[in-house]
Amino acid sequence: MAVPQNKKSRSRTKMRRSRSRIGLPALCLEKGEKGKGAGELRRRHHIGADGTYRGVSYFQTKSPEAELEEDEN
């Protein structure tokens, strides 16, 4: 079995481990028509906050007025 001849310093160990840390998620700008989430910053391969992905709406979000009306009833 291979055995290192010299001990690795703390500095070298930390330099090696610093490269493997988790980075920030990749972000992109949403493309599409005006008013349909165009220019929205979102994570890649994820649905935006308004429920659209690549210009297609997958679910409807409730407006704040609709939520108030629902709570009153």
Side-chain angles (χ1 to χ4, degrees), residues 10-26:
R10 287 185 210 119
S11 175
R12 287 201 177 271
T13 303
K14 289 180 180 182
M15 282 191 286
R16 184 185 68 245
R17 290 178 180 169
S18 71
R19 295 185 194 103
S20 63
R21 74 174 185 183
I22 297 173
L24 296 174

Side-chain angles (χ1 to χ4, degrees), residues 14-65:
K14 289 180 180 182
M15 282 191 286
R16 184 185 68 245
R17 290 178 180 169
S18 71
R19 295 185 194 103
S20 63
R21 74 174 185 183
I22 297 173
L24 296 174
L27 300 175
C28 67
L29 288 174
E30 182 72 37
K31 296 180 182 177
E33 300 174 20
K34 290 184 178 180
K36 290 191 176 182
E40 177 188 4
L41 192 64
R42 64 171 176 82
R43 290 180 62 191
R44 295 186 70 187
H45 304 102
H46 286 75
I47 293 178
D50 62 344
T52 59
Y53 180 73
R54 301 184 84 182
V56 179
S57 179
Y58 286 95
F59 63 90
Q60 297 293 326
T61 56
K62 290 183 179 180
S63 64
E65 298 85 28

